[in-house]
Amino acid sequence: MNRILFIVMVAVLGFAPDIAAGKPTRAQRIVAELHKPKSRTVLVAAHRGDWRNWPENSIPAMESAIDMGVDIIELDLALTKDSVLVVCHDRRLDRTTTGKGFVSDVPYDSIQTMRLRAGHGVRTEIGMPTLREALLVCKDRVVVNIDKGYEYYDMALALCEELGVTGQILIKGTALPDAVTAKFAEHSRNMLYMPIVNLSKKDGLPLYNAYKAGGEVPMAYELCWSVRTPDVDAVMAEMLASGAKLWVNSLWPSLNGGLCDDAAAVEGVEEIYGKIIADGATIIQTDRPTLLLDYLRRTGHHE
């Protein structure tokens, strides 16, 4: 058994007793679906939660996305001056909060006095959540994808273990497979891991080739590309043939070579999302989760 697949299986073992008892939580059912490479069910990842209706990466944005039926909540981490993990995409506070400066320069008690801004920059009365608060909201209900946060792996894992949510956490990164294996070997249990392969960047193809050369088969790859080339087609086909699932972003065209675009989907949902599914994607990260879920349910790709 290759090393990355073994790591993934160890993470899932934490779910085994409940599943064996016939009482899986919703999060456990989603994780089980993640391990079915031949399934044509399409899982929906809400990018920073339901940020069109609530501030991005906020608790209400997560609650709203869970209520609408998404499978995965994507969030981002930052570390305060006094080492508290908070949920924030930017390294600076200026865009998303009423504060200013770098998160890393501000203690958590000061973060608590700041208010989050809505997507159009207007102040709300909502505060920035800690990772602990976010995980407690998502526990047993949905898979949590930590995007920007692999650098805080040890801290995040310790918190996940404390809260009993490790098996439902999917963390992404661009580390080489040997580095991931070495990091995961430091712990008896680990989160799920997914490599990000961006073929528009110079290290994208070498990263994929390192997985292929080592016989590593991740549970899934996140694949990004800016221009559709024969190399993109070949890598996509190889990923699917290897037994990995394919995560594609419909957020904006530069992440998928113009294949699809959430904004354009408002005018032509069948054409936009149909393309991405036809290419084999069974995990789609979106900025319009309601629109995508409606389409998938209507076409039989989601419960």
Side-chain angles (χ1 to χ4, degrees):
M1 180 183 296
N2 66 66
R3 291 170 292 170
I4 299 296
L5 182 56
F6 174 76
I7 289 167
V8 168
M9 290 184 69
V10 168
V12 176
L13 287 179
F15 282 164
D18 283 342
I19 292 177
K23 298 178 181 178
T25 66
R26 183 168 186 271
Q28 291 168 343
R29 295 196 299 272
I30 295 167
V31 170
E33 184 64 36
L34 283 169
H35 288 84
K36 298 176 183 177
K38 297 185 182 301
S39 172
R40 302 314 299 161
T41 294
V42 177
L43 300 176
V44 175
H47 183 228
R48 305 180 201 174
D50 180 16
W51 67 261
R52 291 189 178 277
N53 294 304
W54 299 96
E56 66 177 60
N57 277 321
S58 67
I59 294 299
M62 297 175 203
E63 288 280 13
S64 179
I66 293 170
D67 288 345
M68 70 176 66
V70 305
D71 306 287
I72 302 168
I73 297 288
E74 184 266 358
L75 54 79
D76 310 279
L77 299 184
L79 191 66
T80 67
K81 184 177 182 178
D82 48 349
S83 299
V84 176
L85 283 171
V86 292
V87 183
C88 181
H89 177 271
D90 299 359
R91 289 296 172 254
R92 293 188 63 89
L93 295 157
D94 307 52
R95 180 182 67 87
T96 61
T97 81
T98 56
K100 293 186 181 300
F102 289 95
V103 179
S104 57
D105 291 336
V106 181
Y108 177 61
D109 59 356
S110 295
I111 295 284
Q112 289 180 295
T113 69
M114 301 172 188
R115 300 297 93 184
L116 293 178
R117 297 186 183 277
H120 49 302
V122 174
R123 171 196 168 113
T124 71
E125 292 306 312
I126 300 169
M128 180 186 295
T130 62
L131 177 60
R132 174 183 294 274
E133 291 167 338
L135 293 178
L136 286 173
V137 166
C138 296
K139 183 175 182 177
D140 296 332
R141 303 169 70 193
V142 70
V143 166
V144 176
N145 167 224
I146 297 175
D147 185 5
K148 295 176 67 174
Y150 183 70
E151 63 188 293
Y152 310 122
Y153 185 82
D154 293 340
M155 290 182 63
L157 178 62
L159 180 58
C160 290
E161 286 287 88
E162 176 191 337
L163 300 179
V165 299
T166 302
Q168 71 182 80
I169 311 301
L170 170 62
I171 193 163
K172 294 188 295 193
T174 56
L176 289 166
D178 284 348
V180 176
T181 298
K183 168 55 64 179
F184 278 37
E186 297 172 8
H187 306 283
S188 59
R189 276 171 40 89
N190 286 282
M191 307 175 200
L192 305 172
Y193 183 81
M194 181 172 67
I196 303 171
V197 175
N198 191 334
L199 295 179
S200 62
K201 296 184 177 181
K202 63 180 182 180
D203 57 352
L205 188 58
L207 175 62
Y208 170 66
N209 286 335
Y211 276 90
K212 186 170 66 170
E216 312 292 4
V217 182
M219 174 194 65
Y221 288 99
E222 177 179 333
L223 181 63
C224 306
W225 66 97
S226 57
V227 178
R228 190 67 173 260
T229 66
D231 280 345
V232 173
D233 290 333
V235 168
M236 187 180 295
E238 288 176 1
M239 286 177 173
L240 292 170
S242 74
K245 294 179 83 70
L246 183 63
W247 170 307
V248 175
N249 300 300
S250 63
L251 309 175
W252 43 83
S254 62
L255 292 175
N256 53 61
L259 180 67
C260 63
D261 175 8
D262 278 326
V266 175
E267 302 297 329
V269 64
E270 285 82 3
E271 179 182 0
I272 298 302
Y273 293 134
K275 288 179 181 178
I276 208 167
I277 294 169
D279 266 342
T282 51
I283 312 170
I284 301 176
Q285 180 174 211
T286 180
D287 277 330
R288 295 186 180 272
T290 301
L291 187 69
L292 178 55
L293 282 167
D294 287 347
Y295 169 73
L296 295 175
R297 288 164 177 161
R298 179 161 44 82
T299 56
H301 290 97
H302 198 282
E303 63 180 18

